Amino acid sequence: MRHSLFSIVRNAIGGNRGWPAQWREAAPKPEYDIVIVGAGGHGLATAYYLAREHGISNIAVLEKGWLGGGNTGRNTTIIRSNYLWEESQKLYEHALKLWETLSQELNYNVMYSPRGVMMLAHTVHDVQSAQRHIHANRLGGIDNEWITPEQAKAFCPLLNIEANIRYPILGAALQRRGGVARHDAVAWGYARGASALGVDIIQNCEVTGIDRAPSGEVTGVQTTRGAIRARRIGVVAAGHTSVLMAMAGVRMPLESYPLQALVSEPVKPIMSCVVMSNTVHAYMSQSDKGELVIGAGTDAYTSYSQTGALHISAHTLDAICELFPAVRRMRMLRNWGGIVDVTPDRSPIIGKTPVPGLYVNCGWGTGGFKATPGSGHVFAHTLATGAPHKFNAPFTLDRFRSGRLIDEAAAAAVAH
Amino acid sequence: MTQPFRTEAGGQIDRSRPVRFSFDGRAYVGYAGDTLASALLANGVHLMGRSYKYHRPRGVLSAGAEEPNALVNVARDAARSAPNLRATQVELYEGLTATSQNRFPSLGFDLGAINDVCAPLLGAGFYYKTFMAPRGAWFKLYEPIIRHAAGLGRAPVAPDPDRYANRYAHCDLLIAGGGPAGVQAALEAAPSGQRIIIADDNPGFDSATLAGFANVTCLPRTTVFGYFPHNFLGLAERLTDHLADPGDRARERLWQVRAKQVSLATGAIERPLVFAGNDRPGIMLAGAARTYLDRYGVLVGKRVVVFTACDTAYAAAVALHRAGSQVVAILDLRDSPGGPEVAAVREAGIAVYPASSIVGTQGRLRVRSVTTGAGLRIACDAVLMSGGWTPSVHLYSQARGKLVYDEERQFFRPAGPLPGLRCVGACNGDLPESGGFLGVVPGQRGGPAFVDFQNDVKASDIQGAVAEGFRSIEHVKRYTTTGMATDQGKTSNMNALAIAAQQLGQPLPSVGLTTFRMPYTPVTLGLFAGAARGELFDPVRQAPLHDWAQAAGAVFEDVGLWKRARAFPRGGEDLHAAVARECRTVREAAGLFDASTLGKVEVVGPDAAEFLNRLYTNSWSKLAVGRCRYGLMLTEAGFVMDDGVVARLTVDRFHVTTTTTGAPRVLAQMEDYLQTEFPELKVWLTSTTEQWAVIAVQGPRARAILAPHVSDIDLAMPHMSVREGRVAGVPARLFRVSFTGELGFEVNVPAGQAQRVWDVLWAEAVKHGACAYGTEAMHVLRAEKGYIIVGQDTDGTVTPDDLGLGWAIGRSKPDFVGKRSLLREDLIKADRPQFVGLLTVDPVRVPEEGAQIVPVAAPAVGSHALGHVTSAYSSATLNRSIALGLVEGGRGRMGEVVHLTTASGTIPAVIAEPVFYDREGGRLDG
């Protein structure tokens, strides 16, 4: 059923009993053209674009738990494309452009809201870094502008721009097209779209092994719901990618860390944009529901536990209370963690692996949500054609051998 | 003023102390010991809030932390205003000012209630299905309306002036919950002398019996909100919110407790029944009604209907009956309720209707009557309901305890104790068999039956979500928002689960539970920040000569945690003029510079040289005692991580310097390798950053300035050497090094003596026309010489060879960190970005740092950049701008014209050698 105001009215008259299931409850078939492991946003988007743009719908998306239950539903939903390196800019901008029409594309309101993402500069070094990004973005055709502390305050009145604070705000880089979206809706919208195009989404189906022919290429997967044959397998399993890839004998340059986030109790609107600060380690926005959505840092130690340490979120709240002193009296409602898979250069790996037929899309670290549509789109291209899309061509696994890194963290972080 | 619903006697309130307060501007009187909810009930006020979505009138449902409905704002003033407080936990004080939320214009008449009329259009997830056209309208039109309608209370508008305290504690036994089970656990353990902490979120708990034990710390008004690995728990203690005059005391205290053993005595929470119209003001949990009577001497109604599937509601009925309420009927879902409570009710003459239910209620702002399944309409002013009890397993679950489903009693209970953790009492499921009911009450004939009261999730929403394919309970939760309100589903989760299970046709336990997440109840953000605000947010590190610099009029910049003097403007100079003067003075005479913030690590031991061989690219074995060498440290990936001068003081002792902000990172890298990769090396590492103050004396007059104050060191010492002796009578390590290109010394003296030495040298410097200079002049001076700053001219992607520092690599060494990576194909390709100088064609124009370097004057959008400008300054010495940058294949492009991006267009520049001044290095010798 097509979603629209009309369908809402019609169903309301029918007591809302007429809504069909948003996706089919599929049982695994013995064989598919392509098996995607991981029904998060990236995996579901991959399936959707495979079916929609490449005409391949004999696909299974296998999910250990429930779809969208990993980092897709655990992040702080920030979307932006003002990355430094040309490779990243192109990939994230590709995603941003897809975000702009995604609700219409999926006929599912993913609530993409370009409310502006502001990245604060507190030191001379921050200013230099921000200016470098702005120059690079301008050349790349990506909106990113420098604003003064007063302009930042006008854009986000909650901000403390007093000059005598510990880390005064010297200015900010603002991407107006950046913003947020509703994370669950992204997973559900892609699931609904993919399912309608014939994709089987199989939940509660954990992959326990990857089968390979004597000549090395993949032949299928073993799962808790039986064996499934496929000659092409795409692993899109975020924090657990390295575990899955090990089943095919591939050692991934990934480390998995807990990353925390939290929300406050809902209040009436007090903040319309997203504010991020690398120097004081905090970012915050306000959801449509009214909750302040606050991101914390990763734990210092690797772990598969979806909870983080108290002092990590506490440190984030130090910074939040300092940047936004009026929220100090508000209260934390819910705190949670996700497992992020981090590569040595903090950029993703999207493409082939040494094992024929085995493809991987991982390493999105702490910032994969924003890339969801673009990531799925280029990975679908890669799976369908056996060759990377031009936007993911640089994001190879091989770059860690060749040294052709795309190091966003290095470029953004270290001070002199 | 009268309190019409207050009993004659009884309760734990202090009837001798009336307390005046206001709610929505109306004045009321309660008693000391009341909560806002109990005082309002005593005054006959049930209507305390509006629901989140449909703005339905709501009264109090519970008497505790699980309250979903009665959320209010309490404000002492504009800054000390707190939204979303549960009226059931707000303690009354004289003059308390509370207001209701999420309503306009008033609680009684709320225009938002239009949503209730439109409810069929606003079912679960409706917003995912509409507001999509035209494109862009979501952000511009629909979302602002929705945002405005959403939210509950209002955030404070001014910075919170209150303080928050923090305490760390260890104990042998932490008990969460001060009810009978908790106190019993404390009493059992107390005689052994163990250190015990017992916490309860109520203002008073039965701690009198524990008062005699010095080893027991009782914490009332304290919520154990989080359970972290290894028995680490977070407790929030409310200290002043209940006081009329909080004075200057801390408002709350965060306890971070490491407990050897934890006993959870968190009790159980009563469940509502899900039937049509179950949310009207006056309808509440039976246990809550009993609490209002027993604890506060308040009758929640005069004419009461009880609707239950659980025996405990009978006791409540009897209690209210004895206290003067008329209990008109007890409707019991069960066919043949029995047990002592039932007998007591019958004795009291209260009518009991087995196998009966409520299928509808009437009344706008207060329940007026109920309709029974048998079609009877019963007038009443309160309904007590009970669907049984759910153990509060939140903390146990946070501790990763496994829950098992008790089929008979229809609740999840802890599977058993964990190491260092046990559950006691009701929390452990040790509840008397008293019945209960989960799911939708049978026989409903329409009308909204609420599951999650605050978020307005109806039974039909959950059924609809399941029908739409949301089969996981986590999906149901996220799609319907059930259990996601400020009460986190304390009263709703089990019913939601049961309804979903029924709709799925699966047994309840197989549907599973949603995750219990920290915190148990909402915790103030400021509590976590504690004292870490303002100056204490992050420690400020001040160099030993900070005060002198401040007195000398320095402007400072933040560099890591340090405050560094950026320049010393004189007499109205702006930064630019000050820097130009400082640079000229250093080149022409000399300058003094506080370089104390540079990181310093003392590397000592028989294997010290070997250790440095492995950590730095350079060779150290042949460095003579008394000599220095410029060292480069790489990451494993082969990129420059840090640099600094390393001096060999003795065969087994090195004085290593690092960049200012790199110091902790370098020491961590050293320790990491020493402890994990090279444990066989005999090396000891000590950070000496704060032990040594460093006074750089740079410029042609440097030696002359030092000479009168150094007697035991021959100042003819060569460039890149170190001597130990005395400077101005103070023991010193004197380096001959230069980051300016001029003759230079760096005087290392104990930090405590820094001011004394500086004063002596400064007095001497003044005679020579020297100045004090700051970091900005330092940056310019080094840029004129093409010296890099790690972190500015490098960004973690730059190799030594990119920087023209290939000479610093000890190629004959068998290994060093990063060596293997340097051989990777991408790190040796010809077109790598290389460090070059850039001279703008217009010598006045200073490029912007971070500008992109492109081959053409008008680059197309999306065109490839050859590199970027890393540093750019106006050089007073050279009377023109200079810039440094990284350009692909830059060393092969000398003299080539490139274009540097600006905010509007580009400016041309010529690629040049990155050394602009004294290329031969003659000035190093003065």
Side-chain angles (χ1 to χ4, degrees):
Chain A
M1 182 185 295
R2 226 188 130 63
H3 289 160
S4 66
L5 185 57
F6 174 72
S7 69
I8 287 181
V9 173
R10 204 180 56 189
N11 274 283
I13 293 163
N16 281 319
R17 285 187 204 91
W19 294 108
Q22 298 199 1
W23 50 81
R24 289 174 293 110
E25 189 75 9
K29 292 191 287 193
E31 182 163 9
Y32 290 93
D33 292 342
I34 298 176
V35 161
I36 292 166
V37 184
H42 292 247
L44 292 165
T46 304
Y48 174 80
Y49 291 115
L50 274 169
R52 168 107 174 148
E53 300 206 345
H54 302 280
I56 304 173
S57 58
N58 186 25
I59 302 170
V61 186
L62 309 182
E63 170 55 50
K64 178 172 74 167
W66 36 284
L67 70 87
N71 296 342
T72 299
R74 294 171 184 274
N75 64 84
T76 50
T77 79
I78 296 170
I79 295 169
R80 61 185 179 89
S81 66
N82 52 352
Y83 280 70
L84 179 66
W85 303 109
E86 288 163 21
E87 296 89 340
S88 314
Q89 285 178 19
K90 291 193 164 90
L91 182 63
Y92 289 101
E93 180 65 15
H94 181 52
L96 188 71
K97 290 218 168 81
L98 291 169
W99 277 116
E100 288 169 344
T101 54
L102 192 59
S103 293
Q104 291 75 32
E105 167 73 22
L106 296 176
N107 178 232
Y108 208 94
N109 189 358
V110 301
M111 306 183 189
Y112 163 66
S113 177
R115 45 191 56 255
V117 175
M118 197 157 77
M119 303 172 87
L120 303 176
H122 302 270
T123 65
V124 173
H125 183 265
D126 285 351
V127 175
Q128 288 165 344
S129 172
Q131 295 283 16
R132 183 180 172 196
H133 279 73
I134 290 168
H135 275 283
N137 291 155
R138 198 186 292 123
L139 185 64
I142 290 165
D143 76 305
N144 195 9
E145 62 194 273
W146 177 254
I147 57 174
T148 64
E150 293 71 30
Q151 289 170 319
K153 176 87 178 167
F155 199 71
C156 181
L158 207 56
L159 207 55
N160 183 3
I161 60 160
E162 284 172 36
N164 60 354
I165 57 177
R166 179 67 184 87
Y167 291 111
I169 291 166
L170 304 183
L174 171 64
Q175 184 174 32
R176 292 183 192 272
R177 288 160 66 234
V180 294
R182 171 83 186 113
H183 53 18
D184 289 329
V186 176
W188 301 338
Y190 274 121
R192 173 169 169 267
S195 179
L197 292 168
V199 173
D200 282 355
I201 299 163
I202 303 162
Q203 304 182 73
N204 301 308
C205 179
E206 183 175 355
V207 170
T208 54
I210 294 176
D211 299 332
R212 297 173 65 178
S215 45
E217 71 268 24
V218 296
T219 56
V221 292
Q222 297 292 325
T223 79
T224 50
R225 295 175 69 175
I228 301 173
R229 293 191 301 279
R231 300 215 162 266
R232 275 173 287 176
I233 298 170
V235 175
V236 199
H240 290 84
T241 298
S242 42
V243 180
L244 279 156
M245 296 299 284
M247 294 174 188
V250 180
R251 189 170 169 225
M252 296 297 289
L254 293 172
E255 288 183 328
S256 293
Y257 294 89
L259 174 69
Q260 297 183 67
L262 59 102
V263 293
S264 75
E265 295 182 309
V267 287
K268 294 293 177 189
I270 54 170
M271 184 179 188
S272 67
C273 61
V274 182
V275 174
M276 313 178 73
S277 166
N278 280 333
T279 296
V280 301
H281 306 296
Y283 46 101
M284 182 163 95
S285 65
Q286 188 176 15
S287 73
D288 287 344
K289 199 180 169 192
E291 297 160 335
L292 297 176
V293 183
I294 295 168
T298 47
D299 276 18
Y301 300 99
T302 54
S303 160
Y304 288 113
S305 158
Q306 282 178 330
T307 52
L310 176 62
H311 69 273
I312 299 285
S313 43
H315 180 63
T316 296
L317 290 169
D318 294 354
I320 290 293
C321 291
E322 203 59 18
L323 288 174
F324 310 102
V327 308
R328 196 180 289 271
R329 236 176 157 84
M330 289 188 55
R331 299 190 295 180
M332 176 205 287
L333 172 58
R334 197 163 57 239
N335 169 237
W336 66 92
I339 308 303
V340 298
D341 44 331
V342 177
T343 63
D345 67 358
R346 305 293 200 272
S347 284
I349 301 166
I350 318 166
K352 292 183 168 188
T353 70
V355 177
L358 183 63
Y359 298 77
V360 70
N361 182 350
C362 66
W364 291 96
T366 60
F369 176 73
K370 66 176 76 67
T372 306
S375 160
H377 190 259
V378 299
F379 195 46
H381 178 99
T382 310
L383 278 165
T385 64
H389 187 280
K390 64 179 174 181
F391 292 145
N392 67 313
F395 294 87
T396 60
L397 175 59
D398 188 57
R399 73 179 187 273
F400 300 102
R401 188 195 57 75
S402 73
R404 196 180 170 79
L405 305 183
I406 305 161
D407 198 335
E408 289 288 336
V414 289
H416 55 269
Chain B
M1 272 183 265
T2 60
Q3 297 176 36
F5 289 84
R6 189 77 74 177
T7 56
E8 291 293 318
Q12 294 158 27
I13 42 163
D14 184 350
R15 288 168 195 260
S16 66
R17 289 170 55 208
V19 177
R20 282 165 300 180
F21 68 101
S22 78
F23 179 60
D24 276 347
R26 232 183 116 178
Y28 297 95
V29 178
Y31 289 123
D34 261 329
T35 63
L36 178 61
S38 68
L40 284 171
L41 290 173
N43 284 276
V45 177
H46 274 254
L47 178 64
M48 297 187 202
R50 287 274 174 172
S51 63
Y52 181 85
K53 188 170 171 185
Y54 301 130
H55 291 246
R56 286 172 69 92
R58 291 283 166 77
V60 74
L61 178 76
S62 74
E66 67 272 33
E67 177 60 32
N69 286 337
L71 302 184
V72 299
N73 184 289
V74 176
R76 292 184 196 271
D77 51 49
R80 290 182 301 172
S81 156
N84 303 341
L85 299 183
R86 293 174 294 275
T88 52
Q89 292 192 300
V90 173
E91 291 176 57
L92 217 55
Y93 57 78
E94 181 67 25
L96 179 133
T97 309
T99 44
S100 60
Q101 307 183 140
N102 198 34
R103 80 287 184 274
F104 176 83
S106 73
L107 191 56
F109 178 74
D110 177 10
L111 289 177
I114 184 77
N115 287 357
D116 198 22
V117 180
C118 303
L121 298 174
L122 310 180
F126 78 97
Y127 31 69
Y128 299 123
K129 298 170 181 167
T130 184
F131 307 133
M132 287 177 278
R135 200 189 123 197
W138 167 252
F139 172 61
K140 293 202 177 82
L141 175 65
Y142 305 117
E143 192 183 33
I145 297 171
I146 288 179
R147 284 173 80 86
H148 185 75
L152 276 171
R154 294 195 180 277
V157 290
D160 181 2
D162 280 337
R163 281 190 310 116
Y164 297 87
N166 189 6
R167 187 174 294 178
Y168 292 90
H170 289 84
C171 65
D172 296 306
L173 176 61
L174 174 72
I175 301 166
V183 171
Q184 182 60 32
L187 283 173
E188 282 167 15
S192 67
Q194 295 179 58
R195 293 168 303 168
I196 299 170
I197 296 174
I198 178 166
D200 193 278
D201 61 1
N202 281 304
F205 59 95
D206 184 19
S207 57
T209 48
L210 296 168
F213 295 101
N215 55 325
V216 178
T217 305
C218 293
L219 298 176
R221 299 188 180 88
T222 303
T223 305
V224 182
F225 66 81
Y227 205 129
F228 303 91
H230 311 295
N231 271 9
F232 185 71
L233 293 98
L235 283 61
E237 182 183 12
R238 297 179 300 281
L239 298 169
T240 63
D241 269 5
H242 61 292
L243 301 175
D245 176 16
D248 60 355
R249 273 166 288 183
R251 181 178 174 227
E252 297 180 15
R253 179 181 291 125
L254 175 66
W255 289 78
Q256 299 185 66
V257 180
R258 184 80 67 181
K260 189 174 178 186
Q261 172 76 34
V262 174
S263 284
L264 297 180
T266 46
I269 292 172
E270 198 170 17
R271 292 189 299 266
L273 288 166
V274 181
F275 56 93
N278 61 346
D279 67 325
R280 288 187 208 283
I283 304 178
M284 65 171 65
L285 296 169
R290 176 120 198 239
T291 299
Y292 287 115
L293 178 61
D294 291 351
R295 196 178 293 167
Y296 306 104
V298 172
L299 286 172
V300 299
K302 304 223 148 130
R303 201 178 146 79
V304 177
V305 169
V306 177
F307 181 26
T308 185
C310 174
D311 295 345
T312 55
Y314 285 77
V318 171
L320 265 72
H321 169 78
R322 289 192 183 137
S325 292
Q326 183 191 357
V327 180
V328 287
I330 297 182
L331 306 169
D332 198 316
L333 272 168
R334 298 168 296 181
D335 291 334
S336 47
E341 291 93 346
V342 180
V345 160
R346 293 210 160 102
E347 250 168 59
I350 300 170
V352 177
Y353 301 89
S356 298
S357 61
I358 297 178
V359 297
T361 65
Q362 295 78 38
R364 192 170 78 88
L365 300 179
R366 175 85 183 261
V367 65
R368 200 175 62 234
S369 57
V370 301
T371 306
T372 70
L376 222 59
R377 187 172 279 211
I378 306 172
C380 60
D381 63 356
V383 177
L384 314 189
M385 60 180 163
S386 178
W389 296 79
T390 305
S392 288
V393 295
H394 307 69
L395 291 170
Y396 177 80
S397 185
Q398 281 186 32
R400 300 299 165 98
K402 208 173 132 43
L403 299 172
V404 291
Y405 189 67
D406 185 327
E407 284 289 347
E408 215 157 283
R409 288 189 264 183
Q410 305 184 61
F411 55 56
F412 286 95
R413 62 187 298 169
L418 299 174
L421 165 63
R422 69 189 184 116
C423 298
V424 295
C427 152
N428 197 37
D430 300 336
L431 287 158
E433 175 56 62
S434 58
F437 182 82
L438 282 171
V440 186
V441 167
Q444 297 299 309
R445 297 160 198 162
F450 286 91
V451 177
D452 183 318
F453 287 81
Q454 188 182 129
N455 271 355
D456 277 333
V457 180
K458 298 167 289 187
S460 59
D461 290 322
I462 293 167
Q463 291 156 344
V466 172
E468 284 193 70
F470 296 90
R471 301 170 70 87
S472 156
I473 193 65
E474 289 282 359
H475 279 156
V476 172
K477 166 181 156 184
R478 285 154 181 267
Y479 193 65
T480 64
T481 74
T482 188
M484 298 184 82
T486 64
D487 57 286
Q488 290 287 285
K490 290 185 180 65
T491 56
S492 62
N493 281 347
M494 286 305 293
N495 277 326
L497 185 56
I499 294 166
Q502 192 181 19
Q503 185 78 11
L504 284 163
Q506 289 177 15
L508 186 144
S510 76
V511 178
L513 270 175
T514 59
T515 314
F516 289 94
R517 290 186 172 130
M518 198 275 278
Y520 176 67
T521 49
V523 182
T524 310
L525 301 184
L527 182 65
F528 294 100
R533 63 201 290 182
E535 286 281 287
L536 297 177
F537 165 59
D538 226 3
V540 174
R541 297 179 82 181
Q542 293 180 347
L545 300 162
H546 183 89
D547 292 344
W548 187 91
Q550 195 148 32
V555 290
F556 291 89
E557 68 168 323
D558 285 305
V559 181
L561 295 175
W562 294 97
K563 294 281 180 192
R564 296 195 77 182
R566 195 173 182 200
F568 294 84
R570 286 183 191 164
E573 280 179 333
D574 63 7
L575 183 69
H576 179 78
V579 170
R581 173 184 50 74
E582 290 170 15
C583 287
R584 273 196 305 269
T585 308
V586 172
R587 295 260 182 253
E588 288 162 11
L592 262 55
F593 175 71
D594 181 359
S596 304
T597 65
L598 282 187
K600 299 161 212 87
V601 184
E602 194 95 339
V603 180
V604 182
D607 297 321
E610 175 57 22
F611 178 68
L612 293 176
N613 275 341
R614 299 184 192 181
L615 266 291
Y616 282 83
T617 62
N618 320 63
S619 289
W620 303 97
S621 307
K622 289 181 184 158
L623 181 67
V625 170
R627 298 308 300 256
C628 306
R629 186 167 285 166
Y630 173 74
L632 264 185
M633 180 178 273
L634 306 186
T635 62
E636 284 180 344
F639 300 119
V640 173
M641 172 180 160
D642 206 80
D643 68 350
V645 169
V646 178
R648 190 166 205 170
L649 297 166
T650 64
V651 172
D652 61 355
R653 178 178 294 266
F654 290 82
H655 177 123
V656 176
T657 66
T658 76
T659 59
T660 293
T661 56
R665 202 160 49 233
V666 168
L667 184 62
Q669 166 123 330
M670 286 180 168
E671 285 287 5
D672 189 4
Y673 276 96
L674 184 59
Q675 292 177 31
T676 64
E677 302 295 326
F678 315 134
E680 73 283 4
L681 295 184
K682 288 193 171 59
V683 178
W684 291 268
L685 305 171
T686 310
S687 168
T688 54
T689 302
E690 294 189 338
Q691 273 57 52
W692 293 111
V694 183
I695 301 168
V697 186
Q698 303 274 315
R701 308 294 301 155
R703 193 177 277 127
I705 292 169
L706 280 172
H709 306 288
V710 180
S711 54
D712 54 353
I713 299 173
D714 180 3
L715 291 179
M717 59 195 280
H719 182 54
M720 294 302 270
S721 65
V722 63
R723 299 288 181 269
E724 292 184 275
R726 283 177 183 269
V727 176
V730 172
R733 289 178 181 174
L734 182 64
F735 288 69
R736 190 170 154 211
V737 289
S738 174
F739 199 44
T740 58
E742 304 295 332
L743 168 67
F745 293 88
E746 289 186 356
V747 183
N748 283 248
V749 290
Q753 311 269 27
Q755 191 58 55
R756 188 173 138 198
V757 176
W758 176 277
D759 288 343
V760 169
L761 295 179
W762 176 247
E764 196 65 35
V766 171
K767 294 180 203 164
H768 292 271
C771 69
Y773 67 99
T775 52
E776 195 61 26
M778 179 267 278
H779 285 178
V780 178
L781 293 165
R782 65 89 203 177
E784 289 168 349
K785 286 291 293 178
Y787 298 145
I788 61 155
I789 289 182
V790 170
Q792 179 167 346
D793 299 297
T794 72
D795 59 9
T797 69
V798 179
T799 69
D801 187 66
D802 297 345
L803 295 166
L805 298 175
W807 54 264
I809 295 175
R811 295 190 192 276
S812 59
K813 288 198 295 181
D815 202 4
F816 58 83
V817 174
K819 180 180 166 97
R820 192 181 60 163
S821 293
L822 286 178
L823 300 175
R824 293 187 291 180
E825 61 196 52
D826 201 70
L827 275 70
I828 53 174
K829 65 178 183 179
D831 65 342
R832 280 196 65 80
Q834 291 172 334
F835 188 61
V836 295
L838 294 158
L839 292 169
T840 48
V841 172
D842 173 359
V844 178
R845 184 79 185 253
V846 181
E848 292 169 35
E849 287 169 349
Q852 301 292 292
I853 301 170
V854 288
V856 294
V861 165
S863 54
H864 173 66
L866 300 172
H868 75 286
V869 175
T870 59
S871 300
Y873 308 96
S874 171
S875 164
T877 307
L878 301 165
N879 196 27
R880 63 153 299 135
S881 77
I882 56 167
L884 299 166
L886 290 161
V887 177
E888 285 177 0
R891 287 201 289 271
R893 293 173 182 256
M894 289 301 147
E896 208 173 286
V897 174
V898 287
H899 302 267
L900 316 179
T901 60
T902 69
S904 53
T906 60
I907 53 172
V910 178
I911 296 179
E913 290 293 334
V915 186
F916 303 102
Y917 181 73
D918 186 30
R919 199 159 293 160
E920 301 71 31
R923 298 189 63 89
L924 284 171
D925 292 320

